[in-house]
Amino acid sequence: RKEVEQDPGPFNVPEGATVAFNCTYSNSASQSFFWYRQDCRKEPKLLMSVYSSGNEDGRFTAQLNRASQYISLLIRDSKLSDSATYLCVVGREKLTFGTGTRLTIIP
Amino acid sequence: DTGVSQDPRHKITKRGQNVTFRCDPISEHNRLYWYRQTLGQGPEFLTYFQNEAQLEKSRLLSDRFSAERPKGSFSTLEIQRTEQGDSAMYLCASSARDSFNYGYTFGSGTRLTVV
């Protein structure tokens, strides 16, 4: 079983729609949780940290459920510029990345 | 520019040759990480340093791979006797130890093609 599992997609979503990504992780000792965004042939960039209390950054909302070892990302009112691969990331001393979910926003 | 710097950006090499990549982390970051990423996959952990000490190596890091961070500043990753399966993006990242909750900052990567 992979340490971090994500639906690879692709997700093709019309502009303005809401899209949700899910991720599960296997190491219950994990302490840090993130979503990273990666554009084609670029390096991953931190999108947001994820907390049990949930956190929001503009159109993006992330949620952590430690009991279920489950992480989610919600994007509201999607923009063309949101097209990218979204990586679920979990860690303690080092970070472990999921395979990523590819999102394409369609005009 | 105070970001993570990697050199070279691209490297094409013949199978069997040795290659070396360099990473300069953000200056105040004492942790440095190497990852490898192939098409359609997320970054896979290779190794990390805290200052000059190499604290963990993945089993992905075969005997042909070696990494150093001699003075706790820049790091090098060497691959000896390259194989076609080594073709990938090699990513370096850094973090400040006490800022683990803020994630890593990645460099732009070195794209290796073994022909």
Side-chain angles (χ1 to χ4, degrees), chain B residues 92-113:
Chain B
C92 177
S94 69
S95 71
R97 182 182 181 185
D98 294 333
S99 298
F100 184 59
N101 284 328
Y102 299 101
Y104 302 164
T105 301
F106 279 92
S108 299
T110 294
R111 186 171 297 279
L112 173 67
T113 303

Side-chain angles (χ1 to χ4, degrees), chain A residues 36 38 92-95, chain B residues 31 35 37 56 100 104:
Chain A
Y36 272 70
Q38 187 170 26
R92 278 193 74 186
E93 292 298 306
K94 67 179 190 292
L95 296 182
Chain B
R31 286 201 169 184
Y35 282 77
Q37 186 174 25
E56 187 174 342
F100 184 59
Y104 302 164

Side-chain angles (χ1 to χ4, degrees), chain B residues 11-17 82-84 87 112-115:
Chain B
K11 179 71 176 178
I12 300 174
T13 191
K14 291 184 178 179
R15 189 176 54 185
Q17 298 294 305
T82 51
E83 301 173 356
Q84 288 189 318
S87 296
L112 173 67
T113 303
V114 181
V115 297

Side-chain angles (χ1 to χ4, degrees), chain A residues 31-42:
Chain A
Q31 295 175 326
S32 298
F33 309 88
F34 306 96
W35 284 99
Y36 272 70
R37 171 193 168 125
Q38 187 170 26
D39 294 297
C40 188
R41 301 182 75 81
K42 298 285 190 181

